[in-house]
């Protein structure tokens, strides 16, 4: 597993308000400053440049982490996990692609926080399938208010998320029983910080970019990558990574093709590498 960058950061453990004030004092970087820092880190492993990139985006982590407070987990812990995602993003960020770090880092921050929620919130552990987890993470944002969903609304959400209506109703009941209020007092510094304009998730540029990228990967991009594989490799990838329910194990596929589990793993790794080459931006 790739390690995050080891950088001295202000700790979110303790006085969370003091941490937020400290994070907001770090200046935002201009596009040119960001490009220069990212280039120095990529080409020369300049940790001071990496540190500037991380510190200038701490407020982004705080903003994203705040959106997960409804799951009843400590805000400080959510921020700490998000910071790990931010550092991973900085390590992988390529300034030559012409995308700002805020757009690239959002995915990594959310991925780390999602994993933390899955590990620590008991209700998520009940959602074992891909569809159920998708429902868990999307139901809150799809509800227009705090009232109980009507049958027509349940049917609409079930159709949009490709789950059964009874699963939507059950998940709503679970979430309502566990629901907690969002942060009561807004921090004044955070309110006036430039990052606060990212709060509208319906028109946020990073959300639009992510949606477009996902749409491409899930449609034309994914089909192109699968088409580049031989039948056996495609079968392995589809059953290991794209199955709607339980994925096949290496031993399952080894028995199917009459080879060893290690050989299946080698074929899988080679296929994934080939797919990454097809999916890589031009």
């Amino acid at each position: 597993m790739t390690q995050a960058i080891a950088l001295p950061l202000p700790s979110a453990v303790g006085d969370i308000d003091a941490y937020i004030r400290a994070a907001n004092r770090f200046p935002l970087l201009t596009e040119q400053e960001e490009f220069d820092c990212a280039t120095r880190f990529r080409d020369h492993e300049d940790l001071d440049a990496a540190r500037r990139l991380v510190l200038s985006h701490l407020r982004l982590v705080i903003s994203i982490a705040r959106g997960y407070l409804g799951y009843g987990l400590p805000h400080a812990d959510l921020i700490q996990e998000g910071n790990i995602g931010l550092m991973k993003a900085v390590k992988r960020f390529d300034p030559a692609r012409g995308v700002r770090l805020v757009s690239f880092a959002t995915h990594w921050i959310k991925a780390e926080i999602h994993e933390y929620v899955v590990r620590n919130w008991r209700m998520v552990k009940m959602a074992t399938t891909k569809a159920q987890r998708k429902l868990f993470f999307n139901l809150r944002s799809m509800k227009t208010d705090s009232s109980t969903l009507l049958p027509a609304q349940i049917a609409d959400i079930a159709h949009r998320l490709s789950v059964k209506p009874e699963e939507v109703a059950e998940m709503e009941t679970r979430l309502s029983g566990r629901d907690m209020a969002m942060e009561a007092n807004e921090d004044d510094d955070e309110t006036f910080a430039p990052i606060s304009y990212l709060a509208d998730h319906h028109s946020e540029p990073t959300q639009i970019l992510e949606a477009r990228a996902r749409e491409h990967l899930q449609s034309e991009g994914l089909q192109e990558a699968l088409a580049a594989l031989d039948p056996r490799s495609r079968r392995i990838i589809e059953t290991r990574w794209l199955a709607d329910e339980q994925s096949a194990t290496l031993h399952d596929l080894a028995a199917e093709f009459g080879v060893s589990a290690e050989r299946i793993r080698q074929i899988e790794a080679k296929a994934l590498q080939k797919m990454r080459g097809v999916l890589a931006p031009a």
Side-chain angles (χ1 to χ4, degrees):
M1 180 179 294
T2 304
Q3 299 295 320
I5 307 168
L7 292 174
L9 299 176
S11 175
V13 177
D15 188 343
I16 189 65
D17 293 327
Y19 172 84
I20 292 174
R21 288 193 295 271
N24 286 333
R25 283 197 291 269
F26 292 110
L28 297 173
L29 300 180
T30 65
E31 184 173 359
Q32 186 59 50
E33 288 173 335
E34 179 179 293
F35 180 85
D36 293 341
C37 287
T39 301
R40 293 206 313 271
F41 178 58
R42 181 195 63 189
D43 297 343
H44 306 292
E45 298 186 357
D46 185 337
L47 290 184
D48 182 62
R51 184 173 183 273
R52 288 189 65 192
L53 291 171
V54 170
L55 294 179
S56 66
H57 287 79
L58 291 180
R59 66 190 72 191
L60 173 64
V61 175
I62 294 169
S63 177
I64 293 175
R66 182 172 287 126
Y68 293 85
L69 288 177
Y71 298 119
L73 297 171
H75 194 190
D77 291 349
L78 293 170
I79 291 173
Q80 292 284 54
E81 295 298 319
N83 284 342
I84 293 174
L86 173 59
M87 289 186 286
K88 289 182 177 180
V90 168
K91 187 168 185 177
R92 293 166 173 80
F93 182 58
D94 184 359
R97 294 190 181 277
V99 177
R100 292 298 299 269
L101 179 57
V102 64
S103 301
F104 183 76
T106 296
H107 163 75
W108 290 96
I109 294 168
K110 289 183 176 180
E112 287 297 320
I113 295 178
H114 273 201
E115 184 178 347
Y116 172 74
V117 172
V118 168
R119 289 197 312 265
N120 292 278
W121 210 63
R122 66 177 180 85
M123 197 60 67
V124 187
K125 295 176 183 178
M126 298 181 186
T128 55
T129 68
K130 184 188 301 183
Q132 288 174 330
R133 293 196 178 191
K134 181 179 180 180
L135 172 60
F136 173 83
F137 281 113
N138 285 278
L139 183 57
R140 292 174 185 273
S141 62
M142 296 179 74
K143 291 184 64 174
T144 57
D145 52 46
S146 59
S147 61
T148 302
L149 290 173
L150 299 174
Q153 294 174 308
I154 291 176
D156 178 60
I157 292 175
H159 175 72
R160 290 162 62 185
L161 296 180
S162 301
V163 297
K164 298 177 181 178
E166 51 267 32
E167 291 180 334
V168 176
E170 181 183 1
M171 187 64 72
E172 183 194 20
T173 301
R174 292 178 178 179
L175 292 176
S176 298
R178 177 77 178 188
D179 206 1
M180 300 182 68
M182 296 293 281
E183 197 170 36
N185 299 316
E186 292 187 358
D187 186 271
D188 290 339
D189 292 334
E190 177 67 12
T191 300
F192 293 101
I195 202 63
S196 65
Y197 295 106
L198 292 178
D200 184 0
H201 298 298
H202 297 290
S203 60
E204 183 184 339
T206 57
Q207 295 289 331
I208 296 173
L209 287 173
E210 286 183 11
R212 289 175 180 172
R214 284 196 301 270
E215 183 179 354
H216 172 72
L217 290 177
Q218 293 172 358
S219 55
E220 300 93 10
L222 181 58
Q223 292 305 316
E224 290 174 6
L226 289 172
L229 303 178
D230 61 82
R232 181 171 63 172
S233 297
R234 178 166 181 163
R235 166 70 177 164
I236 291 172
I237 294 299
E238 288 178 338
T239 55
R240 289 274 291 160
W241 294 91
L242 302 177
D244 290 332
E245 299 297 333
Q246 185 174 359
S247 301
T249 67
L250 293 175
H251 292 286
D252 291 336
L253 292 166
E256 178 179 336
F257 290 106
V259 296
S260 66
E262 174 59 21
R263 178 56 182 157
I264 294 295
R265 189 197 65 77
Q266 293 172 356
I267 296 173
E268 177 186 49
K270 186 175 181 180
L272 289 173
Q273 183 179 10
K274 188 172 184 177
M275 291 180 67
R276 280 193 289 268
V278 175
L279 292 171

